Amino acid sequence: MNLCSAKTIKELMRIFDLSPRRTLGQNFLIDPGVVERTAELCCEGKSENILEIGPGFGCLTEKLAERYKNVVAIEIDSRLVPVLDFTLGNRENLKIINADVMKCDLGEIAAPYLSGGLSVCANLPYYITTPILMLLLESGIPFDYITVMVQAEVAARLCARPGSREYGAITAALAYFGRAERLLSVPAGAFLPPPKVDSALLRIRLHKEKPVAAQDEKILFRVIKSAFGQRRKTLINALSAGFPELPKDALVDIVLSCGHPADIRGERLDIADFARLSDEIGRRLTGQK
Ligand code: SAM
């Protein structure tokens, strides 16, 4: 059975009496070339094991199971579990978990697969791309790579440079955990049903050792969120809104002592600048200065 085809997916939907749920971001891949490349490129051969989020009808899952030692796939839609059993039930190296990725214990799911190296590979549901990415990044699970199909616009944001229009809080946060690279541009016609936007395959290589260390990650992410929360404002005004417990003159002092002009905007700062700023703010918050 060729799972990467509109004909097969339509036939499976007919047999199992299903229709795609837009609320679950169900746009199924039907381009075998894109699926093959995704499975091939997702971890540069570094991991033996793959965690997939949202296997759907299993077209990417099948290619992953052909290439890698173990595949564990988390699917929220219980209607798809019997379909996956029908299409891929004979694969001994595949485990399907019927759960919401946002609610399950990822650490427990990942633990048996870490010794051979584990990467994530997924055609993500677009309604929940950023929360899933942040969940994976903040999980502390030592993934080798996180390779995801996302909207082209999101890929541009995640790969943006400081100072560019696309650079935002998610770009800076991602830079703390790893380095993102856009691998493929994928047209809407590669999916059934086609989404309204084009897509891109993004590969994030997780830092084994973080090049930038922040003393308190919670404060770092609060600083980043504040800096981009008020994009039109100067960094000082944006921080002032995000840290009402600190007097404005203290924030002026902090920004200047970190070597920035008083009128700088948050979008100019890279992750090392944010880490320095967050350490200074952390010291003021705990009354060390
Ligand atoms: N991998 C399949 C493919 O490429 O054809 C399906 C990809 S489709 C874009 C997204 C998949 O994620 C759907 O199967 C959907 O049911 C599933 N999904 C949506 N939200 C989820 C969640 N919170 N947890 C786990 N799976 C989810």
Side-chain angles (χ1 to χ4, degrees):
M1 196 186 317
N2 173 14
L3 291 175
C4 296
S5 94
K7 194 168 166 240
T8 310
I9 292 187
K10 282 180 188 164
E11 186 62 6
L12 286 170
M13 287 201 270
R14 193 188 61 75
I15 297 170
F16 286 87
D17 192 21
L18 298 173
S19 55
R21 282 208 177 132
R22 204 183 298 187
T23 51
L24 291 179
Q26 292 183 342
N27 301 97
F28 303 104
L29 272 166
I30 50 166
D31 183 324
V34 169
V35 172
E36 196 70 63
R37 296 282 286 156
T38 303
E40 178 194 345
L41 298 172
C42 71
C43 69
E44 294 195 298
K46 293 270 181 345
S47 308
E48 285 184 352
N49 308 309
I50 302 291
L51 168 66
E52 187 188 8
I53 296 159
F57 286 95
C59 71
L60 176 59
T61 322
E62 180 180 46
K63 296 296 163 203
L64 292 169
E66 280 169 9
R67 275 179 186 272
Y68 300 95
K69 193 169 168 190
N70 295 290
V71 175
V72 56
I74 304 172
E75 172 57 61
I76 194 172
D77 188 348
S78 55
R79 302 174 311 156
L80 292 171
V81 176
V83 188
L84 287 163
D85 195 39
F86 174 71
T87 54
L88 301 174
N90 58 345
R91 304 242 163 214
E92 283 182 4
N93 63 341
L94 170 64
K95 182 175 175 186
I96 304 285
I97 298 172
N98 181 206
D100 178 345
V101 68
M102 299 304 296
K103 293 189 184 148
C104 57
D105 187 339
L106 273 186
E108 195 179 292
I109 291 170
Y113 303 103
L114 291 177
S115 62
L118 179 64
S119 288
V120 174
C121 182
N123 171 18
L124 283 184
Y126 292 170
Y127 76 102
I128 197 178
T129 301
T130 304
I132 293 181
L133 273 180
M134 288 314 294
L135 176 84
L136 294 169
L137 293 169
E138 288 178 347
S139 69
I141 298 169
F143 297 117
D144 296 319
Y145 291 85
I146 297 174
T147 297
V148 280
M149 190 74 74
V150 296
Q151 293 180 34
E153 181 201 316
V154 174
R157 211 174 324 137
L158 291 169
C159 297
R161 299 259 155 261
S164 65
R165 198 168 48 87
E166 290 88 2
Y167 187 65
I170 179 78
T171 328
L174 189 147
Y176 183 69
F177 295 104
R179 199 183 150 81
E181 156 187 29
R182 185 190 172 113
L183 298 180
L184 300 174
S185 294
V186 182
F191 303 86
L192 179 83
K196 289 200 174 69
V197 290
D198 287 334
S199 300
L201 185 68
L202 193 84
R203 184 172 64 197
I204 302 163
R205 184 186 185 138
L206 279 296
H207 300 312
K208 289 289 168 219
E209 289 200 9
K210 294 199 179 79
V212 166
Q215 279 160 16
D216 185 329
E217 287 185 6
K218 274 207 186 102
I219 296 179
L220 172 67
F221 294 125
R222 204 174 145 201
V223 168
I224 292 174
K225 212 170 142 206
S226 309
F228 289 97
Q230 315 260 328
R231 223 185 150 106
R232 284 162 191 271
K233 293 192 176 180
T234 61
L235 176 64
I236 290 172
N237 284 339
L239 289 174
S240 185
F243 289 87
E245 65 272 50
L246 285 176
K248 190 158 173 188
D249 56 352
L251 289 166
V252 172
D253 213 36
I254 290 170
V255 168
L256 296 179
S257 74
C258 286
H260 305 297
D263 61 352
I264 196 167
R265 289 177 199 276
E267 69 225 38
R268 296 264 152 212
L269 271 57
D270 66 15
I271 187 61
D273 296 322
F274 279 119
R276 209 171 312 127
L277 201 58
S278 109
D279 288 351
E280 281 301 317
I281 289 179
R283 269 194 281 281
R284 301 289 173 121
L285 288 173
T286 53
Q288 289 174 32
K289 243 184 187 181

